[in-house]
């Protein structure tokens, strides 16, 4: 199975600031995704990180607020820009590893609290 | 319309007993995949089990088994011989053939009592 590392695991941020979350995978993967989980809620897909091109954003999410980079097949970053308390969530990186069957793995998550 | 429905917000189970978590789904696709994840209080999402729509047998992974009833569009997770460490939130999710993303249910919180 893929090993996915996310940094930071937790952070407390001041409103109005931005934070970048990193996702590193131990093997090359085709598809990488970023999800948000607000407190007490289920997961919502923010965007698909595409290698070599702009990310594909889901309805309700925009690049200016959640810029994403994917410089290669093992790494991606998600930035949460101009944060407000409503951005307090767990942000999860996910990869699709069809090589070992139909399995979609998640990183450990990044807990962000905006104060 | 909600694609994944988990109707049990929370459940209590006695240690060593089995528990069934309900999941129903809605899709018009013939080809799709169903996933179950465990999320402990630490926040990570742990993959448990996968069932493909064309799989003839119910998936099993250790103490986890999936009761797949295609005609009823249900994919219930059964955890046998519950352990204290099974206390967590459990999410059912689906990916359809024409989509790349997972659609998640609301989740079920399981609390295992000693």
């Amino acid at each position: 199975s893929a090993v996915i590392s996310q940094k930071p695991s937790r952070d407390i941020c001041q409103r109005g600031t931005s934070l970048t979350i990193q996702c590193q995978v131990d093997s090359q993967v085709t598809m990488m995704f970023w999800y948000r989980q607000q407190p007490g809620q289920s997961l919502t897909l923010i965007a698909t990180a595409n290698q070599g091109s702009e990310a594909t954003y889901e309805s309700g999410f925009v690049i200016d607020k959640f810029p994403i980079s994917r410089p290669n097949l093992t790494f991606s970053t998600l930035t949460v820009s101009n944060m407000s308390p409503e951005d307090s969530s767990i942000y999860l990186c996910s990869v699709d590893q069809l090589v070992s069957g139909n399995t979609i793995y998640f990183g450990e998550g990044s807990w962000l609290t905006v104060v | 319309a909600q694609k994944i429905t988990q109707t049990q917000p929370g459940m209590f189970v006695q240690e060593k007993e089995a528990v069934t978590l309900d999941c129903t789904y809605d899709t018009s696709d013939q080809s799709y995949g169903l996933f179950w994840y465990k999320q402990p209080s630490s926040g990570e999402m742990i993959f448990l089990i996968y069932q493909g729509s064309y799989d003839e047998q119910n998936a099993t992974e250790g103490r986890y088994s999936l009761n797949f009833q295609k005609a009823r569009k249900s994919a219930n997770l059964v955890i046998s011989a519950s352990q204290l460490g099974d206390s967590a939130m459990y999410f059912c999710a689906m990916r359809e053939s024409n989509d790349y993303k997972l659609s998640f249910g609301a989740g079920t919180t399981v609390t295992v009592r000693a």
Side-chain angles (χ1 to χ4, degrees):
Chain A
S1 64
V3 176
I4 307 168
S5 301
Q6 272 188 243
K7 292 180 182 179
S9 56
R10 286 179 183 268
D11 209 338
I12 299 174
C13 308
Q14 297 293 320
R15 68 176 68 199
T17 62
S18 299
L19 183 80
T20 296
I21 303 167
Q22 298 179 3
C23 178
Q24 177 76 55
V25 191
D26 68 343
S27 58
Q28 293 186 343
V29 294
T30 305
M31 306 195 78
M32 295 180 76
F33 307 94
W34 287 99
Y35 285 83
R36 180 177 74 179
Q37 186 181 22
Q38 295 178 301
Q41 304 293 314
S42 188
L43 280 74
T44 302
L45 181 66
I46 298 171
T48 303
N50 302 309
Q51 195 266 330
S53 64
E54 210 168 84
T56 305
Y57 289 85
E58 297 298 305
S59 175
F61 297 96
V62 295
I63 188 171
D64 289 346
K65 177 67 176 176
F66 298 101
I68 288 171
S69 78
R70 178 124 188 241
N72 56 52
L73 293 176
T74 64
F75 186 78
S76 178
T77 66
L78 168 75
T79 299
V80 186
S81 302
N82 188 24
M83 286 186 282
S84 67
E86 292 71 36
D87 294 318
S88 297
S89 298
I90 304 174
Y91 293 85
L92 294 127
C93 170
S94 167
V95 304
D96 191 337
Q97 188 169 36
L98 296 179
V99 172
S100 58
N102 289 289
T103 308
I104 299 175
Y105 294 101
F106 285 80
E108 314 100 319
S110 298
W111 287 73
L112 298 190
T113 302
V114 184
V115 296
Chain B
Q2 193 80 323
K3 290 191 177 183
I4 296 287
T5 302
Q6 295 180 254
T7 58
Q8 306 152 311
M11 297 185 71
F12 290 93
V13 59
Q14 205 63 32
E15 197 177 10
K16 301 180 183 177
E17 291 185 350
V19 61
T20 298
L21 308 184
D22 294 341
C23 173
T24 58
Y25 58 92
D26 182 25
T27 181
S28 56
D29 273 8
Q30 296 301 310
S31 177
Y32 50 89
L34 297 156
F35 302 76
W36 276 93
Y37 290 89
K38 171 185 178 181
Q39 187 178 44
S41 57
S42 58
E44 62 185 312
M45 291 285 285
I46 303 168
F47 167 76
L48 295 178
I49 198 166
Y50 168 83
Q51 179 84 42
S53 59
Y54 290 117
D55 293 341
E56 293 185 353
Q57 294 197 338
N58 288 340
T60 61
E61 289 287 346
R63 295 187 297 110
Y64 304 106
S65 60
L66 202 151
N67 183 2
F68 181 46
Q69 298 186 44
K70 194 171 182 177
R72 296 181 59 187
K73 293 188 175 180
S74 76
N76 299 339
L77 177 71
V78 180
I79 306 173
S80 62
S82 296
Q83 303 171 356
L84 295 177
D86 293 334
S87 295
M89 178 78 89
Y90 290 81
F91 289 97
C92 179
M94 176 176 67
R95 182 166 67 175
E96 297 165 292
S97 63
N98 62 350
D99 205 349
Y100 46 81
K101 65 185 180 191
L102 288 174
S103 298
F104 283 87
T108 297
T109 301
V110 172
T111 303
V112 181
R113 289 170 164 160

